[in-house]
Amino acid sequence: MKAALTQTISTAAGELEEIRAANVAHNIELIASASRQGAGVICLGELFTGPYFGLEENPRWLGLAEDALSGKTTTELRETAKQYGIVIVAPLYEIDSKKRYNTAVVIDADGSVLGRYRKTHIPQGENEQGRFIETFYYGKGVPKNGEPYFPVFETRAGRIGINICYDRHFEGVVASLARAGAQIIFSPAVTFGEKSRRMWDLEFRVDAARHNVFIGGSNRKGKEPPWNQEFFGESHFASPAGERMPDLSEDPRVIISDLDLDALDRADRSGWNLARDRRPDIYTND
């Protein structure tokens, strides 16, 4: 099954609705490109409807938040999913009952909304390249009605889990998704800096091997106005063998890899059986 990730920057020109509409239109082009190349699922970039505004505190960007389940972006992408028969993971800026979240909506290939995941870990800090001030814009996702913090979605393309950017650094996230049955974990991100670049490949490859899943990390690539902070890109999939998978795409804005989901049920050629041999009785819990 071919799966896709995006690797582009977003536009920041115009009024907020113009910005949203332009970025959605651009990403629909990328979805179409992935579909033409045979992809059955695509994960768009973190907060793809606008520029990465977390570099500054500016109340203007609060107005970019929208209803994640029935807003304009999700409505357009539902039609796109149905048109191309592709599963879409759409990370956008959400407002719900006056609270804002960094959210990913999962849309099945028939256009139905399966649910959403809200980013759980929210960063606040700076590195040698710039600041990330996300707590100004949104809060931590807290599930309702006993739902799990890290849901897994049954889609036409397989069982999908999501962790958003900063979530990927926390050791319990991929473990929770894998134990809940995820086959593919998407990690949409906007990331930059020396340590982030060093860890970008390593974290995905280790977690994919340790938890017997495929992981797809999507990052912006290039300098994005108006701040011109450079994002290093390097979007890719990691396999359960701990390998970075080859990119089969003909479009440099889209990364495509062929995921053999049946391999997840076959015996590991290394002889490892971590699910069988783990010792939860001796691990220290917080």
Side-chain angles (χ1 to χ4, degrees):
M1 194 275 301
K2 289 183 178 179
L5 306 164
T6 59
Q7 182 169 265
T8 61
I9 57 174
S10 294
T11 183
E15 299 301 319
L16 291 181
E17 175 53 26
E18 293 174 319
I19 291 171
R20 186 206 68 81
N23 287 313
V24 171
H26 172 65
N27 277 269
I28 287 175
E29 289 181 13
L30 304 186
I31 293 166
S33 174
S35 176
R36 285 194 297 270
Q37 297 180 72
V41 58
I42 186 169
C43 180
L44 309 180
E46 181 185 14
L47 298 170
F48 80 95
T49 59
Y52 180 61
F53 45 75
L55 296 166
E56 66 173 5
E57 291 186 13
N58 187 337
R60 177 196 184 205
W61 299 111
L62 297 173
L64 195 60
E66 60 184 297
D67 188 299
L69 301 182
S70 60
K72 289 183 178 180
T73 297
T74 297
T75 299
E76 291 179 61
L77 292 180
R78 290 183 66 185
E79 290 301 315
T80 303
K82 188 187 304 183
Q83 177 182 355
Y84 293 105
I86 191 171
V87 177
I88 301 173
V89 178
L92 48 77
Y93 191 19
E94 178 187 16
I95 185 167
D96 180 19
S97 301
K98 298 183 179 180
K99 293 183 178 180
R100 291 174 173 82
Y101 303 96
N102 185 332
T103 299
V105 180
V106 180
I107 304 171
D108 212 348
D110 62 359
S112 60
V113 175
L114 299 181
R116 62 190 160 193
Y117 165 70
R118 290 170 170 165
K119 187 174 182 176
T120 303
H121 305 90
I122 313 299
Q124 177 88 1
E126 64 180 299
N127 60 30
E128 72 286 347
Q129 292 187 14
R131 298 191 299 167
F132 32 93
I133 316 166
E134 297 189 12
T135 54
F136 178 79
Y137 293 102
Y138 38 78
K140 301 174 182 177
V142 178
K144 299 177 180 179
N145 304 321
E147 296 173 346
Y149 271 91
F150 304 105
V152 172
F153 303 93
E154 189 79 44
T155 78
R156 192 178 296 180
R159 297 187 299 274
I160 289 174
I162 304 163
N163 59 28
I164 299 177
C165 199
Y166 197 51
D167 288 333
R168 72 185 185 277
H169 302 315
F170 294 85
E171 71 278 4
V173 177
V174 172
S176 296
L177 289 166
R179 288 170 197 156
Q183 297 168 298
I184 311 168
I185 296 174
F186 287 108
S187 187
V190 181
T191 189
F192 56 93
E194 294 177 3
K195 183 173 182 179
S196 183
R197 177 64 192 95
R198 285 196 302 273
M199 299 304 295
W200 181 253
D201 290 33
L202 295 175
E203 287 177 306
F204 293 143
R205 287 160 55 195
V206 168
D207 275 340
R210 180 173 286 159
H211 300 291
N212 192 42
V213 293
F214 291 95
I215 299 179
S218 169
N219 186 26
R220 299 187 188 200
K221 183 176 178 62
K223 293 183 178 180
E224 187 173 77
W227 306 279
N228 292 320
Q229 167 62 56
E230 186 163 12
F231 306 110
F232 58 76
E234 295 296 333
S235 301
H236 69 280
F237 285 94
S239 77
E243 298 172 330
R244 179 169 174 150
M245 301 187 69
D247 174 18
L248 307 176
S249 179
E250 301 169 356
D251 184 341
R253 305 170 301 171
V254 179
I255 306 300
I256 296 178
S257 291
D258 200 353
L259 315 186
D260 180 6
L261 300 186
D262 290 338
L264 301 177
D265 296 322
R266 295 196 288 267
D268 192 322
R269 294 177 61 187
S270 69
W272 297 11
N273 193 328
L274 304 187
R276 180 195 66 198
D277 298 332
R278 65 186 297 269
R279 292 284 308 277
D281 55 309
I282 63 173
Y283 305 139
T284 299
N285 296 317
D286 292 338

